Amino acid sequence: MESFSHAPLYAQLAPIVIGLPLLGATILLVAGRRVGRASGALASTLLSIAFVLGVVSFFGVTGHGSQIHLWSWVPLLGFHTGVDLNVDPLAIVMVLVVTGVGALIHWYSLGYMAGDPGYPRFFAYMNLFAASMLLLVLADNVLLLYVGWEGVGLCSYLLIGFWFERPSAAHAAKKAFFVNRIGDFAFLAGIFVLAASLGTLSIPRIDASVSGGMTSGLATVAALLLFAGATAKSAQIPLYVWLLDAMEGPTPVSALIHAATMVTAGVYLIARVHPVFEFGAASLDVVMWIGILTALLAAILGAFEYDIKRVLAYSTVSQIGYMIAADGLSSYSTGIFHLAMHAFFKALLFLGAGAVMHALADELDMRRMGGLRRVMPVTAGTFLIAALAISGIFPLSGFWSKDAILAAAWAQGQYAIWAIGLAAAFLTAFYMFRLYFRVFEGPSHVQEDLHPHEAPRIMTVPLVILGFLSVVGGALNVPGNDALERFLDPVLGAPAAPGAVTDAILSAVAVAVAVIGIGTAWGLYMAPAADARRAALEHRFAVLVHVARRKFYVDELYGYAFVLPGKRLAMWFDSLVDARIFDGAVNGIAAMLSGSGEQIRRLQTGFVRSYAAVFLFGVMVIFTVLILRVAVT
Amino acid sequence: MTHQGFPWLDLMIFAPAAGALVIAFIPGRSRNLIRSVALASAVATFALSMVVLAGFHTGEAGFQEGSVMRWVPQWNVHYATGIDGISLWMVIATTFMMPVSIMTAWNMQDRLKGYVALLLLTQTGILGVFCSLDMFLFYLFWETTLVPLYFLIGMWGGRRRLYATVKFFLYTLAGSLIMLGAIFYLYFAHQPPTFSYTALLGTPLGMGAQLLLFLGFFASFAIKTPLIPLHTWLPDAHEAAPRWGSVDVALTLFKLGPYGFIRFAIPFFPDAARTMAPVIVGMALAGIIYAAAVAIVQRDLKRLVAYSTVAHLGFIGLGIFVGTVTALNGSVLQWANQAISTGALFVLIAFLQQRLDTRMIPDMSGLAARMPLLSGLFLVFALSSLGLPGLNNFIGEFLILVGSFASGYRWWAVIGTFGTVLAAVYLLWAYQRAFHGPVGGVAEREVRDLRPREVAMLAPALAAMVLIGFYPQAFITRIQPSAAKVVKQMHSSVLPSSRSTAGLP
């Protein structure tokens, strides 16, 4: 731990990186209306500068990086917790993703949000989000990380509910906050366990002391509590339900918060404190299975959804499932690799969807789209690149990162995980191209009064940049030149990988499965007689289709199992326990006395007033006597 | 007469009463003068408390800055005051919020004179309670807090005020009388009889007597915390309190129970306190969950916030009785936090009521579109209240919970943590219904957003919230030595057979 003035330059930049968007948020929250139209440029510029500083840090940081102490924060249980930052390779990778992708999405929003009456407020929240997320990834201790963790949750709440006049948006915002609070409850309990048994909350010290400071069983408990927090934030089973509704927010929000950055915080958290998970090894199995099952479940649901943003939301849940599974397989740097690649192509997909909505007056239903490639060539082209990337087609970014996760499963003998992952990969390719074909290819089903057009330059340029990154991003970590992995090794350790030949075979299988998925989508949506074929299939599996379209009734289940009984209980507390039982005896006496009080009032209305005057006078006398006595003695 | 240096502390205690005295001689129609004098004395009191803070020696556990003088020598009554890490921030929270309380009534027309005079008197009572080191003086101040509030609610209150005042009076007076009996018992238990707090500390008492006396004090403090099931006077008092909000702010400062537990009930009767601790921890936890659940289904915003304070005070009670320094630090800080955040919420509700003539959530919809400033501020204070990290309440709650977790009440602390989930539910659900959604109900009328004066009133509270959230160190280091002393007292014994302190955990 070093003081700010003694830290190396790359570490000194870290507080500035957080401070820039925080400054933007503060200015816009206080004086947003005065800044007006300039809000977007201001917020985007500040975050872009933060990105440049992040790049400078990236070229400075090595090994375990550097920890800097800014100021002392909370003294607890005999140790101090500081506002300290941990500037290491893992943090810097996350900083680059957050500021880089974040800045692109900010610039895009200049076009997308133009004309919205809440324009300054939007950028205030977006900058506040970026600052919170940067605090989350740079925090040296778990408690400070938690500040960022809830900070991003708050911004998520504010931005999902950005158009709060829509009841659905207000409801979705609240739901997101509630579900995340449930996760945070577990997260907090996990922090208690760590603090009480290790006497520190500093992440490097937790990582170093966990095996000596607590039993393996307690470490498992701590790890599972932290993971429960991660399932809420990263939308995993069983707490994924909020992310679908979160699509009520403006689309750039979905791209930044609910795809590229915030929702991947759980993946980051596990990687950050992975020694706790490793020591409480039973927890890793839970992590692995929750991750891969979420990947499959969400991919199934995504294949039945018509709302383009919700398809992408399911896709996000599913892809994060892969990353969580990578964590569960102890392949942390692989998970982070997929996190970064996913940030590129998923942000691109959302921004592309945003461009489509922009062109179609906020239409979301893919059944009322089609043939848009002809009028929106840039959007369609970049969207196709992203679709190919997420499907894992060689040599795009998603191929390398997803392949690495499946290979890690195989290398550890987790063949079931590998197989489920492969099935989810098939579905991914299928739902992605179902979406692509219905939106961009085929005949147009666009409403007649709409005249779709390509998005303005400020929106298409970020699309092209993200498209480029989605193509070449994988080069960061290809077998034989695993630069990212070696960069992260000091922090995260080396992941397991199969031999080169096995790897090549596995890759070939994965690509083949993806191609079959795309082919299936073509067969059901593009090929001659596709409609009839689809109708026949839906008829044969009518029940399954129905249940899947109702999202397996999970929302309803939670409603009847938790929300409704909880509400009933609260009402019963209020109307029976409080009003009748706790108040019972008192009420009897009070009613008697207030009755007589009413009579006195009727007799002499000035009663209370004169009583007050007498009382006031009496107290004054007492105090005067008292003061006089003091003066005399 | 002895005191260390100039008696700033005593000046501070009586400054509000002096203001009230001046106001008593101003004709009732000179409203401008009345409210100026009231605000000036509240602000002067705050300034004096800052002088007290400047003279406070960080790192000392004992009492500082007070005075001692003989008062009624025949009865061995002294005027004795002092401040320590336990009372410091409670005092400052009180002096910090009272100007706000006065200012909310700025445009009041109806009998302003009596109203502000009683408010100022309440403040002297509260400050006196925090600073008295003589049981007689303490009791006098304790009663002084009760009577003005009774009249404020009874004479200026709204719907159901008679019912509420009678209930308020019965509850708090009953508690006070039982405590008075306990004080006299203690007085005679000491040889020679004395009311001196420091002399009474360590008075040997058998277990039976300790339990009896502890319960005597407990009755009063539990009501004034309030702990469930003795809480029902509070939501009624808030519901009936005058629409100006000043009394609601004062009521958040009127929660003198936690201070009483820390200052008197635990150090005087440590063996009884340890015996009773599991019961009280249970009551506190039940309060956290139960009051939060009841808050969820309230339709009156003020009752909702009132129940939320019962939940908050549950956290504070938990932190006091688990017996760790960290948790006690948290409880003391949290008391100041709830005064700031909840007080500010009550002020905002008063602003709403002045504009809309209603506090009922079902009457409101889409207020955020009509009053962005008021809505934004309401959200910020609600977030503070629900324990958002980075703001003040999070620090207090975290210290309480982690301190409880590190005590013998490990998994009980986890139950308490669930209260943070419920806090989000009742506050954000209410916020959604009243402020979000399409403009409807009373929001359809011509409504005015906050005036600059109203924003300025709450700006200091906003700043304090962020300061405590990101720099709690400055607050906790001043609490810590005194808290450590109380925890040590709690783990000692005054049983006649074993005067030595028991081993610390």
Side-chain angles (χ1 to χ4, degrees), chain A residues 33 71-78 80-81 83 125 135 143-144 146-148 150-151 154 157-158 161 164-167 170-174 177-178 181-182 184-185 188-189 191-197 201 218 221 225 567 569-571 573-574 577-579 582-583 586-587 589-591 593-594 597-598 601 607-612 615-616 619-620 622-627 629-630 633, chain B residues 1 14 17 20-21 24 69-73 79 111 117-118 121 124 137 140-141 144 147-148 151 154-155 161-163 166-167 170-171 228-229 231-232 236 290 293-294 296-298 307 326 329 368-369 372 379 383 386-390 394-395 398-399 401-403 405-406 410-411 413-414 417-418 420-421 423-425 428-429 431-432 435-439 469-473 476 480:
Chain A
R33 262 181 234 172
W71 69 81
S72 292
W73 188 32
V74 198
L76 46 95
L77 302 180
H80 278 257
T81 301
V83 176
Y125 294 164
L135 181 64
L143 197 59
L144 193 61
Y146 185 76
V147 175
E150 281 237 323
L154 167 68
Y157 166 81
L158 293 170
F164 54 79
E165 281 145 314
R166 293 206 307 239
H171 172 78
K174 179 199 63 184
F177 203 95
F178 288 1
R181 264 269 153 152
I182 293 170
D184 292 351
F185 156 64
L188 267 182
I191 295 178
F192 299 158
V193 177
L194 292 175
S197 27
L201 285 177
L218 200 56
V221 172
L225 286 169
K567 220 166 155 178
L569 185 69
M571 289 171 88
F573 277 167
D574 181 49
V577 181
D578 228 51
F582 290 166
D583 252 4
V586 198
N587 270 347
I589 307 167
L593 289 181
S594 72
E598 202 83 59
R601 260 177 73 84
F607 160 73
V608 179
R609 187 188 310 218
S610 49
Y611 197 107
F615 171 77
L616 200 63
V619 172
M620 286 305 155
I622 292 173
F623 285 132
T624 315
V625 168
L626 203 145
I627 293 163
R629 283 196 78 106
V630 171
T633 49
Chain B
M1 173 169 175
F14 291 102
L21 191 65
M69 53 202 138
R70 298 196 318 161
W71 185 11
V72 190
Y79 172 87
R111 292 166 290 168
L118 287 170
L121 217 55
T124 284
L137 186 66
L140 190 78
F141 281 125
T144 307
V147 184
F151 284 110
M155 293 176 64
R161 65 184 180 204
L162 267 171
Y163 172 71
V166 171
K167 197 167 173 183
L170 273 182
Y171 255 120
I228 71 157
H231 64 283
T232 56
D236 286 337
Y290 172 85
V294 176
I296 294 173
V297 292
Q298 296 305 307
Y307 275 104
T326 300
N329 280 340
L379 182 62
L383 290 169
L386 64 82
L388 188 84
F394 172 71
I395 304 290
F398 184 79
L399 287 170
L401 291 171
V402 79
F405 190 86
R410 174 159 287 215
W411 299 109
V414 176
T417 311
F418 194 72
T420 62
V421 178
V425 174
L428 292 186
W429 190 42
Y431 192 79
Q432 181 201 346
F435 292 92
H436 285 167
V439 171
F470 278 98
Y471 199 64
Q473 170 93 346
I476 299 168
Q480 173 118 2

Side-chain angles (χ1 to χ4, degrees), chain B residues 218-235:
Chain B
F218 176 81
S220 192
F221 298 152
I223 288 168
K224 256 190 175 174
T225 299
L227 289 175
I228 71 157
L230 303 170
H231 64 283
T232 56
W233 63 272
L234 185 77

Side-chain angles (χ1 to χ4, degrees), chain A residues 308 312 345-346 348-354 356 376-390 431-433 435-437 439-440 463 467:
Chain A
I308 54 172
L312 296 178
F345 58 68
K346 185 55 64 63
L348 175 52
L349 288 168
F350 267 113
L351 295 187
V356 169
M376 309 179 70
V378 181
T379 304
T382 51
F383 200 94
L384 179 61
I385 289 171
L388 289 167
I390 193 176
Y431 71 65
M432 224 41 249
F433 275 85
L435 176 62
Y436 175 77
F437 289 142
V439 174
F440 293 103
L463 292 182

Side-chain angles (χ1 to χ4, degrees), chain B residues 20-37 109 111-114 116:
Chain B
L21 191 65
V22 171
I23 287 170
F25 291 104
I26 303 174
R29 52 183 187 283
S30 313
R31 281 202 201 89
N32 256 329
L33 189 59
I34 288 171
R35 58 196 188 192
S36 303
V37 171
Q109 304 291 325
R111 292 166 290 168
L112 177 73
K113 178 175 162 173
V116 291

